[in-house]
Amino acid sequence: MQTSRRLFLKLLATTAVSRGLIHAVQAASNPKTFESTALSERGDLRLALISDLNGPYGSTRYSPSVATGLDLLSELKPDLVLCAGDMVAGQKISLTDSQLEAMWSSFQSTILNPLLQQGIGIIPTMGNHDASSQTTASRYVFARERHQAKTFWERQKNRLGLEFIDAKHYPFQFSVKQPGLFIVVIDASSANVDRGQRRWLEQALASESRSPDDCCVVMGHLPLTAISVGRDRAGECIADAMHLTDLMQRHQVDLYLSGHHHAWYPGELKGQRLLSLGAMGNGPRRLLGTQRTSDPSLTLLDLFQATKAVRETTFSLKTLKTISLDSLPKQLSAKSFPSLNRRNTNWSYGS
């Protein structure tokens, strides 16, 4: 009897230890518990910023880091997701219409529907792999892809939970007004943001629908200057970017948001606040002047309307921890491109 009792007690102790280990593993992998202190105070408006979700050309599948990101979004419960482009894997002329349709169908079932079903709206930006604006002889090189993207997003338009101000050229360029927020999307799916679009942008930023109390964000896929290794060349950044930078400064844009370079970097260019988003999916890259590949990531903006303060938090989808600002170089420099200075991730809008 004593032997049996000792064995029984030993089994109980072993089970308790095992359960403790299981709970520890679950807690370590649960987005609810990691970095919870960093998110103890939610802003009046919470925005999640994502970009570059796509896989290889023609793929209808998304990488595990995208699934991790979606799980994290479910825990963070943003009011709105801003996607800076490359949602599908196009930009290849040989892709058939049925392949393009399949990619957008996969995006809808894998990413868009789960967000909308949770009451999370989304503002999309066309990336080069979604609907490239590259032209030759005044014609779009990827005209079929642009047609497919337009058809898809027209069908989704009324599901997104957005108040459109100017949607004449949606989904390529449009403006949206949400409580405390004014967002203008430009078609920076190639390096060419032409004069017509810049005139439209200036008019959009001067809209009577924009309030002085709004946080004003302009979003486009390509950045204004070089961010990552291998993308510090012509065609990978917006051409004549300083003219666009001056335009945004004149109209007091609080943040220009971009993707494409697959590396997170909060920067400042000639006084204009920029944010380059890391890739949520495949192909993270090295920041200029560094040796380590950036983690797949997503960024959270918490806006506190009484003080107009913004708390900017970026999460690694590899470690499920916040990425330290100090881990980034203080400046990014590349030949033939303006240098970009690192900025603080706590800032105020309307100033």
Side-chain angles (χ1 to χ4, degrees):
M1 289 291 293
Q2 288 181 347
T3 301
S4 298
R5 180 177 176 80
R6 283 197 298 271
L7 288 172
F8 177 68
L9 292 174
K10 184 176 181 181
L11 179 61
L12 282 178
T14 302
T15 302
V17 170
S18 298
R19 284 176 177 169
L21 288 172
I22 291 170
H23 289 320
V25 170
Q26 288 175 336
S29 62
N30 188 347
K32 285 183 178 178
T33 58
F34 89 96
E35 302 289 359
S36 58
T37 55
L39 299 174
S40 57
E41 186 180 6
R42 182 189 178 95
D44 301 295
L45 182 63
R46 172 167 285 183
L47 309 177
L49 316 177
I50 63 175
S51 189
D52 299 283
L53 292 70
N54 60 303
Y57 291 117
S59 176
T60 57
R61 296 186 178 183
Y62 291 89
S63 68
S65 60
V66 172
T68 300
L70 289 172
D71 289 341
L72 182 54
L73 290 175
S74 295
E75 299 296 338
L76 296 172
K77 295 179 172 58
D79 300 295
L80 188 63
V81 168
L82 277 62
C83 182
D86 280 1
M87 296 164 277
V88 298
Q91 203 180 18
K92 191 172 185 181
I93 294 174
S94 62
L95 292 173
T96 65
D97 286 343
S98 60
Q99 285 177 298
L100 297 174
E101 290 173 4
M103 288 192 297
W104 282 114
S105 178
S106 178
F107 172 80
Q108 180 174 347
S109 61
T110 306
I111 294 154
L112 182 61
N113 285 350
L115 290 175
L116 296 180
Q117 287 163 5
Q118 296 175 73
I120 302 172
I122 182 169
I123 299 180
T125 311
M126 296 303 106
N128 56 295
H129 289 290
D130 304 316
S132 173
S133 60
Q134 181 184 348
T135 59
T136 182
S138 301
R139 294 185 178 183
Y140 290 118
V141 175
F142 300 96
R144 287 188 304 109
E145 294 187 10
R146 287 179 71 84
H147 174 73
Q148 291 280 357
K150 181 177 175 62
T151 299
F152 175 82
W153 285 106
E154 284 286 1
R155 290 199 304 265
Q156 310 301 327
K157 186 177 179 182
N158 294 331
R159 303 179 63 214
L160 304 181
L162 304 176
E163 180 185 342
F164 291 93
I165 302 302
D166 183 347
K168 182 179 179 181
H169 302 291
Y170 169 89
F172 305 108
Q173 58 188 68
F174 58 94
S175 57
V176 170
K177 166 75 173 174
Q178 300 293 102
L181 189 66
F182 191 81
I183 298 182
V184 182
V185 172
I186 62 172
D187 187 359
S189 56
S190 73
N192 181 33
V193 178
D194 62 23
R195 291 181 180 179
Q197 188 175 182
R198 291 171 193 240
R199 285 194 297 269
W200 174 86
L201 173 60
E202 193 148 23
Q203 293 170 358
L205 291 172
S207 170
E208 293 181 356
S209 299
R210 179 183 171 187
S211 166
D213 293 326
D214 290 338
C215 179
C216 180
V217 177
V218 174
M219 179 165 61
H221 185 59
L222 265 64
L224 296 172
T225 191
I227 306 292
S228 64
V229 175
R231 298 245 154 130
D232 51 337
R233 61 179 188 266
E236 305 290 357
C237 303
I238 294 175
D240 192 20
M242 293 314 301
H243 179 270
L244 201 57
T245 302
D246 292 341
L247 188 158
M248 288 191 283
Q249 283 185 301
R250 286 199 309 273
H251 288 275
Q252 298 180 307
V253 171
D254 294 298
L255 181 68
Y256 176 71
L257 178 65
S258 66
H260 190 60
H261 281 216
H262 294 209
W264 170 60
Y265 194 82
E268 187 174 84
L269 178 63
K270 306 296 184 182
Q272 176 60 54
R273 192 181 293 113
L274 312 179
L275 177 57
S276 171
L277 293 175
M280 190 175 177
N282 291 344
R285 290 176 171 269
R286 290 185 290 123
L287 287 168
L288 294 170
T290 67
Q291 297 302 315
R292 182 181 176 276
T293 301
S294 302
D295 285 359
S297 63
L298 65 81
T299 296
L300 200 67
L301 296 186
D302 278 291
L303 279 61
F304 300 87
Q305 293 174 343
T307 58
K308 295 188 176 181
V310 178
R311 184 183 66 217
E312 187 178 314
T313 313
T314 295
F315 299 94
S316 164
L317 299 178
K318 182 178 179 181
T319 67
L320 291 181
K321 294 181 179 180
T322 57
I323 305 176
S324 169
L325 185 66
D326 292 335
S327 68
L328 307 179
K330 292 184 178 180
Q331 187 179 73
L332 301 181
S333 298
K335 186 178 180 180
S336 303
F337 288 94
S339 295
L340 189 63
N341 295 320
R342 191 183 73 190
R343 60 169 175 80
N344 203 313
T345 51
N346 291 314
W347 48 277
S348 297
Y349 60 91
S351 60

